[in-house]
Amino acid sequence: MHRFNYQRSNLYAEGIKVENIIKQFGTPLYIYSANTILDHFFKLKHAFKVLNPLICFSMKSNSSLAIIRLLVKSGSGIDVVSGGELYKAIKAGCPGVKIVYAGVGKREDEIETAIKAGILFFNVESVPELEKINKIAKRCKKIQSVCIRLNPDVDAKTHKYITTGKKETKFGLPYKVAKSIFKNKSKYKNVKIEGIHLHIGSQIVRLDPFLKAIKVALELKKEVDFEYLNIGGGLGIIYKNEKPLLPDQYAREIEKLLKGSKVKLILEPGRFIVGNAGILVTRVVYFKKGINKNFAITDGGMNLLLRPALYEAYHEINLVKKKNKPKVKMDIVGPVCESSDFLGQDRILPVPKEGEALAVFGAGAYGSAMASVYNGHPLCAEVLVNEKEVYLVKKKENYRDLIQNDLIPDFLR
Ligand code: LLP
């Protein structure tokens, strides 16, 4: 469910015509719906009310300060994976005790800052990392709580680039290693090892991989005791015709599995919360008839939404103002000099005129978060809609931003 709907032929973001929004803010433009985000957050929260987990929004999916703030104000914690994300989470007002920190490459400075910020847990991905956290915590005269990220060797049955729970991937620790860490807990005097963390992948639409992974963690719980179980994110959403898990169904099955285990649960949803809560609006610059193909060339492409180029991901695309004209097959492409720069391929749409706007749906997660300035296109503006109000939440970058950190050495002057 989301709040981007057509009324007659016009696309609305909540209670505002998208055409009016782009008149004010231009294109390309990311538009987010605040109430879609909240709706998803509370759907998950209600589905899990029996287990009452800490929900930590995975901000790698969308790191807009305004969106993080919206969720934090609603009681969400944050899942971060870098010093930069930690900085933003704190700036958005997230208390340290609601921050969990994953990632395979945590640097010393990042670890120290996080310890000083009083985060809830590091999700530890290797033995050297655990040793480093222990060493730094000692230096800071603190006892730092951590969870061990378990690699359960489970296939999430999703795109191979976003599968993270198989033994071939760089993530987490094998069962045996995790077990031996718990057995040797006392070696790490400045670390309190309190739980297991799992995250087996993203855009998962089946239940069994989740259950399999949790079963591996519960197997381990029979051998070593722990209090917290973080089951990560990964819940899939509808981009085309997927039949994703419903939060209630997901929650009921997990409840059944965890019955009697007394673990405290943590969730790290990203895509589920923001995926369908954002669209990218681009304008057609040219319509080009090719030999075998037609191309609608727009002012935003892989620079702003990388998912189609990187994973051949499908995003629904439609005219912001639908029209009753004959439809033809076309690729929707961006201005970037790469053949993989497409937003959609073989789409059947009315031939767009120059300047007509297209909406790319499902762009709220891993859209602006993965955008770049490749080919010298500054990042675009972002707005957040709340019913009939629209707020600028990210200014459009300008050309000066493109060079602000560049330096010309003296010998070239
Ligand atoms: N927790 C951890 C430790 C993660 O690595 C991730 C995502 C999440 C939670 C949130 O997962 P979600 O609920 O969003 O599935 N760029 C890719 C997705 C990469 C996901 C990385 N990890 C894409 O555009 O599909």
Side-chain angles (χ1 to χ4, degrees):
M1 283 297 288
H2 60 73
R3 300 275 308 269
F4 296 99
N5 296 305
Y6 284 91
Q7 287 177 31
R8 283 185 226 105
S9 315
N10 292 299
L11 181 61
Y12 278 73
E14 300 203 7
I16 314 182
K17 243 190 205 177
V18 169
E19 244 197 329
N20 293 341
I21 302 177
I22 58 177
K23 251 183 222 152
Q24 192 180 347
F25 296 97
T27 63
L29 182 71
Y30 269 103
I31 304 178
Y32 303 115
S33 152
N35 289 296
T36 306
I37 295 172
L38 292 179
D39 182 46
H40 291 159
F41 175 74
F42 286 112
K43 247 189 203 132
L44 202 60
K45 196 171 158 75
H46 290 149
F48 275 93
K49 64 175 177 290
V50 172
L51 294 169
N52 192 26
L54 172 64
I55 301 179
C56 291
F57 170 62
S58 190
M59 67 174 276
K60 63 174 79 62
S61 62
N62 191 311
S63 66
S64 152
L65 218 53
I67 289 178
I68 303 170
R69 176 89 186 136
L70 175 72
L71 286 162
V72 166
K73 277 190 80 176
S74 308
S76 182
I78 302 289
D79 157 46
V80 306
V81 285
S82 66
E85 284 196 352
L86 175 66
Y87 174 80
K88 288 183 86 172
I90 292 169
K91 284 280 176 208
C94 188
V97 289
K98 283 188 172 179
I99 296 177
V100 293
Y101 189 154
V104 293
K106 304 175 190 81
R107 294 188 315 259
E108 220 170 299
D109 59 305
E110 294 177 310
I111 292 172
E112 182 168 338
T113 313
I115 292 175
K116 288 182 175 159
I119 64 161
L120 180 61
F121 292 128
F122 284 105
N123 291 319
V124 174
E125 309 238 12
S126 67
V127 174
E129 179 194 325
L130 183 60
E131 285 163 356
K132 191 165 281 178
I133 294 170
N134 187 51
K135 187 185 85 184
I136 300 170
K138 185 172 177 197
R139 199 166 70 211
C140 299
K141 301 193 174 56
K142 295 234 168 139
I143 309 283
Q144 176 61 49
S145 290
V146 305
C147 290
I148 303 299
R149 179 164 180 179
L150 175 66
N151 182 322
D153 194 21
V154 165
D155 186 351
K157 308 253 165 53
T158 181
H159 191 286
K160 68 173 193 275
Y161 288 0
I162 52 176
T163 295
T164 52
K166 287 186 73 179
K167 64 175 185 300
E168 301 79 29
T169 66
K170 66 178 176 179
F171 300 98
L173 287 156
Y175 187 95
K176 277 192 180 151
V177 181
K179 182 175 146 188
S180 85
I181 289 175
F182 275 96
K183 297 264 184 211
N184 296 303
K185 263 185 183 175
S186 56
K187 256 176 65 182
Y188 308 99
K189 300 258 182 290
N190 288 74
V191 165
K192 196 167 169 205
I193 303 172
E194 298 203 64
I196 283 292
H197 172 235
L198 297 164
H199 174 74
I200 57 170
S202 197
Q203 185 53 18
I204 302 168
V205 293
R206 299 168 50 148
L207 187 61
D208 52 312
F210 286 116
L211 299 185
K212 263 192 203 161
I214 295 171
K215 280 179 190 158
V216 179
L218 292 176
E219 206 42 52
L220 182 62
K221 196 171 186 309
K222 288 185 196 149
E223 306 196 64
V224 297
D225 197 37
F226 54 83
E227 201 181 340
Y228 285 87
L229 178 63
N230 179 340
I231 58 171
L235 270 182
I237 61 167
I238 304 173
Y239 286 103
K240 193 177 188 180
N241 47 20
E242 298 86 347
K243 300 235 166 359
L245 291 168
L246 299 172
D248 277 327
Q249 178 193 8
Y250 179 60
R252 287 305 81 74
E253 294 292 331
I254 290 171
E255 253 172 47
K256 271 191 232 161
L257 267 189
L258 297 187
K259 209 166 183 184
S261 73
K262 289 206 183 107
V263 291
K264 292 185 182 150
L265 193 65
I266 299 175
L267 310 178
E268 296 173 340
R271 191 188 314 263
F272 178 81
I273 308 279
V274 289
N276 285 329
I279 61 172
L280 172 64
V281 184
T282 62
R283 261 187 222 282
V284 174
V285 183
Y286 298 109
F287 185 78
K288 174 168 159 175
K289 288 192 179 131
I291 309 262
N292 297 318
K293 277 201 162 196
N294 299 310
F295 298 97
I297 303 164
T298 75
D299 56 8
M302 66 187 291
N303 50 317
L304 296 176
L305 182 65
L306 185 60
R307 304 192 69 254
L310 194 58
Y311 317 115
E312 292 182 70
Y314 178 93
H315 287 262
E316 193 190 319
I317 301 175
N318 217 327
L319 288 168
V320 163
K321 194 175 172 57
K322 284 187 183 168
K323 58 183 184 185
N324 250 340
K325 287 278 157 63
K327 294 180 175 177
V328 299
K329 201 194 267 189
M330 67 187 80
D331 283 8
I332 319 294
V333 301
V336 174
C337 301
E338 298 270 352
S339 294
S340 64
D341 178 27
F342 59 85
L343 295 170
Q345 289 178 305
D346 298 326
R347 302 304 173 87
I348 315 284
L349 286 168
V351 175
K353 285 208 267 303
E354 287 181 17
E356 259 180 294
L358 292 170
V360 186
F361 293 86
Y366 308 106
S368 84
M370 293 169 75
S372 73
V373 294
Y374 184 41
N375 274 204
H377 297 288
L379 295 178
C380 71
E382 301 181 20
V383 297
L384 181 67
V385 173
N386 183 17
E387 298 300 348
K388 285 186 184 318
E389 303 295 329
V390 55
Y391 303 91
L392 182 66
V393 292
K394 183 161 192 162
K395 286 192 241 167
K396 177 181 164 39
E397 283 191 348
N398 57 37
Y399 292 153
R400 196 176 300 181
D401 294 318
L402 293 179
I403 57 163
Q404 65 171 348
N405 293 319
D406 282 31
L407 300 167
I408 294 185
D410 275 348
F411 85 97
L412 292 176
R413 285 182 195 273

